[in-house]
Amino acid sequence: MARILSLSIVALWLFLAVPREGMATFYWIVPSGNNANACTAVDSSAITTDPGVYRQTVAGGIACLSSGDTLVMKAGIYPNQTIQVLPAGTDAAYTVVRNAPGSRPIISATGSFVRGVQMSFASSHHWEVRGLDFSGTAGSALLFECVEMFGTDPSDHPHHLRFIDNKCHDTVNV
C-alpha cells in the first residue's frame, strides 16, 4: 500500500512539474481594442477560442504574457509597434506572437524609425513569431528594420528563435 501511495505521489509531482505546451494561455489584441482591459478578460485557452474582448497594442498584449504563452494578433494595422521584451520560453513551450487564424496583421512604419522585432541579449530566447506582415513605406524616408538582434558577446546573443510564415517588405534591414 505504501508503495502505491509513493508511486502516486511521484506521478502527481511529475505531472505538475513538467511543463506542457497545452497549458499556455492565449492573449488577444486588435487595433480597436483597449489596453485598459484586464489580461483575464482578453485570454482564452485555445487559438480557436476568441474571447471577444481585446487589448489594443503589441506592448499591451505582451504585458499579459508569461513564459510559454501566446499573443494572438487579429487582423488590422499596428503602426509603429515593436515585438520586444517577451518572456523567455522553454524547449517545451516557446513564447509566441502570432496571427489569429485566417488573418495577416500588419506591423507598419509611419514614424521616423521602427523595428518590427527587436531581440537583445540572451534573455531573448525560445520565441516564435508567426504569420505577420512587417511593412515599411515604399519609397519614403522612413526607416523600418524587420528584425534586429544584438548582444555584447557570443554567449549573450539571442537564441532558439523561430520565424514562420512572416513577410518583411519595404525595409532597410532584415
Side-chain angles (χ1 to χ4, degrees):
M1 181 69 163
R3 180 177 163 96
I4 292 173
L5 181 59
S6 294
L7 288 174
S8 297
I9 291 171
V10 169
L12 178 61
W13 180 83
L14 285 172
F15 175 77
L16 295 174
V18 174
R20 289 167 306 283
E21 195 167 341
M23 294 188 69
T25 301
F26 296 81
Y27 296 95
W28 293 65
I29 63 172
V30 69
S32 61
N34 185 339
N35 282 343
N37 288 331
C39 292
T40 54
V42 301
D43 71 343
S44 67
S45 59
I47 188 71
T48 56
T49 307
D50 185 329
V53 178
Y54 317 98
R55 284 211 163 179
Q56 180 180 29
T57 64
V58 171
I62 289 172
C64 295
L65 298 178
S66 294
S67 177
D69 285 343
T70 297
L71 177 62
V72 181
M73 297 176 67
K74 290 188 63 100
I77 297 173
Y78 298 81
N80 300 325
Q81 298 187 41
T82 301
I83 297 169
Q84 63 183 349
V85 196
L86 292 176
T90 66
D91 283 338
Y94 276 56
T95 300
V96 178
V97 176
R98 64 158 299 155
N99 60 319
S103 72
R104 170 87 53 191
I106 299 168
I107 294 181
S108 68
T110 58
S112 61
F113 186 76
V114 177
R115 291 180 178 98
V117 180
Q118 184 177 39
M119 295 157 288
S120 55
F121 308 110
S123 60
S124 302
H125 64 88
H126 294 90
W127 291 7
E128 179 180 303
V129 179
R130 175 186 294 261
L132 306 180
D133 183 321
F134 297 95
S135 175
T137 304
S140 79
L142 300 176
L143 294 178
F144 183 75
E145 288 185 337
C146 187
V147 177
E148 179 188 51
M149 294 186 279
F150 60 90
T152 56
D153 62 65
S155 67
D156 197 29
H157 287 200
H159 58 91
H160 290 84
L161 308 169
R162 298 190 296 214
F163 296 91
I164 302 168
D165 191 29
N166 296 297
K167 180 179 177 184
C168 296
H169 57 94
D170 299 315
T171 64
V172 294
N173 293 319
V174 177

